[in-house]
């Protein structure tokens, strides 16, 4: 009698283990192991805002220059940035980290970009970095890039980040909302 | 008696589970969970082909410029591209997506490049992106870069992509065949 | 009696399996499946060292140029490199591979960089590549970037690499020690 009950308990445990070890497509897709939302703020150098600028054009096509984003939807402009990360959408909130890396406008017909960058944290809340890469079709309301790795608190992280243009002013300031969904966490 | 049979069944199930959870090196190496072959077409801006060009030099070394690939095997030339992806090797076939990102020639002695780019799909067939990074020793017949992530249909993708130069014309047009082998799929 | 012993054995096996399938945070963090230490050597082109240079400035901000690293902690300078990798800290040791890719100085206030690069091996020891990306806060004694993938011997590799500035001479030569810790190996 006892043996049977033990077997039953064991079997249930076994099933439980199986369901965790082989998650259905659905459950994996819908349950990030970590989710974080941030804003970051990009102020491109335009020849006059050197004190406030957090980004600068460092590569440009033959028809471009380093202080004005180029014709043809900025195709070919390569920008380096060190942008403050905030918890809300206020540029003047205390930064919780820095978004650092490059983006490049990569299409003549519409605004699109390619991004390679990191979120760098060094606070009591988070220490370490999250690394991102991917295409950013700016005209879409939301667009996803890949989380390709992490260090420190985010070591071995993988997942996606959903970008949304939260605001922009002319061609100098823009603010992105980033919804990070990690599907691999340590 | 029944208890023993149950135990045996359970044990077999257990072994089965173990063998799936710890796949042998061999089986993982040899069986991509998804395989896709595409071509993409790169036409570099040379000062005269602005209508057809899909790519432009946006960074160059001190001895280079933005309309002619530099001396010393183009060392230091950084190119931004938005290239059509096709299913066959015909530049004029209907594109199924865009290859977007950067490459940079990175060796003085021979042609080699470093790539960071994405395949962006938005068709009935595929929606989402595949992100790539890696070294491209162009003189080798085939060379592998990493699939470092994906979004949409390709969320959480990992694997490799085997590149092959399928054709080139002078220093303006080249066509790459890309054989994508994903070893992690959702 | 026998049934009970079998059940116990099975249960122990089950626990063992669980502990492997769901490793504690601690054990995974502390045991790389592969560890490799290398040095690489970067000599930036300054207009006079064209024979020895392994790297060149190819993007620069409006206030910079291609032969001198820019003011404001080199913010905006984008460098392409093809650096020899050695097993010890001697620039003149036989190289075992090449470190190829880009870095960009990305902060006005202090030295920091963002890196996208590969280690490319083609020796009896190692064939294939390891791909890296991440932020490099140069002023820290050690800093971690992500291993985002690999090819050949390093196919599907993931992990981190700890960078340390081992030596530098002025603004032309620097040497990095790289301690690669892979947590996913095939």
């Amino acid at each position: 009698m006892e043996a049977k009950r033990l077997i039953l308990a064991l079997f249930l445990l076994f099933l439980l283990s199986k369901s965790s070890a082989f998650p259905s497509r659905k459950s994996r897709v819908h349950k990030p192991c970590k989710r974080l939302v941030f804003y970051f703020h990009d102020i491109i150098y335009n020849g006059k805002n050197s004190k406030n600028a957090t980004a600068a054009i460092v590569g440009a096509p033959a028809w471009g220059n380093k202080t004005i984003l180029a014709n043809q939807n900025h195709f070919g402009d390569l920008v380096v940035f060190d942008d403050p990360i905030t918890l809300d959408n206020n540029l003047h909130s205390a930064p919780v980290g820095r978004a650092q890396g490059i983006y490049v406008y990569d299409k003549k017909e519409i605004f699109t970009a390619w991004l390679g960058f990191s979120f760098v944290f060094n606070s009591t809340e988070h220490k370490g970095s999250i690394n991102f890469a991917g295409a950013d079709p700016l005209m879409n309301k939301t667009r996803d890039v890949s989380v390709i790795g992490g260090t420190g608190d985010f070591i071995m992280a993988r997942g996606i980040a959903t970008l949304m243009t939260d605001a922009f002013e002319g061609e100098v300031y823009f603010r992105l909302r980033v919804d990070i969904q990690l599907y691999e966490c340590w």
Side-chain angles (χ1 to χ4, degrees), chain A residues 42 91 165 167-175:
Chain A
D42 199 64
L91 168 62
T165 305
F168 61 93
E169 285 169 26
E171 301 206 320
V172 168
Y173 173 74
F174 70 83
R175 179 168 72 229

Side-chain angles (χ1 to χ4, degrees), chain A residues 18-19 25 28 30 36 38 48 53 60 62 86 89 98 105 119-120 126 128 132 139 143 162-163 171 186:
Chain A
K18 261 195 95 68
S19 70
R25 186 185 167 123
R28 279 181 80 185
H30 289 132
L36 297 159
F38 296 107
K48 299 168 211 155
T86 57
N89 66 3
R98 308 296 294 192
Y105 288 94
F119 273 16
V120 181
H126 301 297
F132 306 85
M139 305 312 286
R143 50 274 179 189
T162 302
L163 308 180
E171 301 206 320
W186 269 30

Side-chain angles (χ1 to χ4, degrees), chain A residues 51-147:
Chain A
K51 208 180 138 196
N52 296 326
T54 64
I57 304 170
V58 309
W63 60 90
N65 67 55
K66 305 282 180 72
T67 49
I68 303 172
L69 289 163
N71 287 338
Q72 300 200 66
N73 293 292
H74 314 339
F75 179 70
D77 280 332
L78 191 157
V79 175
V80 172
F81 61 97
D82 168 42
D83 293 347
I85 300 170
T86 57
L87 292 175
D88 61 20
N89 66 3
N90 187 339
L91 168 62
H92 302 292
S93 294
V96 298
R98 308 296 294 192
Q100 301 180 324
I102 60 168
Y103 59 86
V104 58
Y105 288 94
D106 59 7
K107 198 174 180 69
K108 290 189 286 185
E109 294 78 13
I110 55 164
F111 291 119
T112 65
W114 193 85
L115 308 171
F117 68 104
S118 303
F119 273 16
V120 181
F121 300 100
N122 188 10
S123 68
T124 45
E125 191 72 25
H126 301 297
K127 283 198 202 312
S129 64
I130 305 175
N131 299 317
F132 306 85
D136 180 7
L138 292 159
M139 305 312 286
N140 296 1
K141 194 176 178 218
T142 64
R143 50 274 179 189
D144 290 345
V145 297
S146 290
V147 173

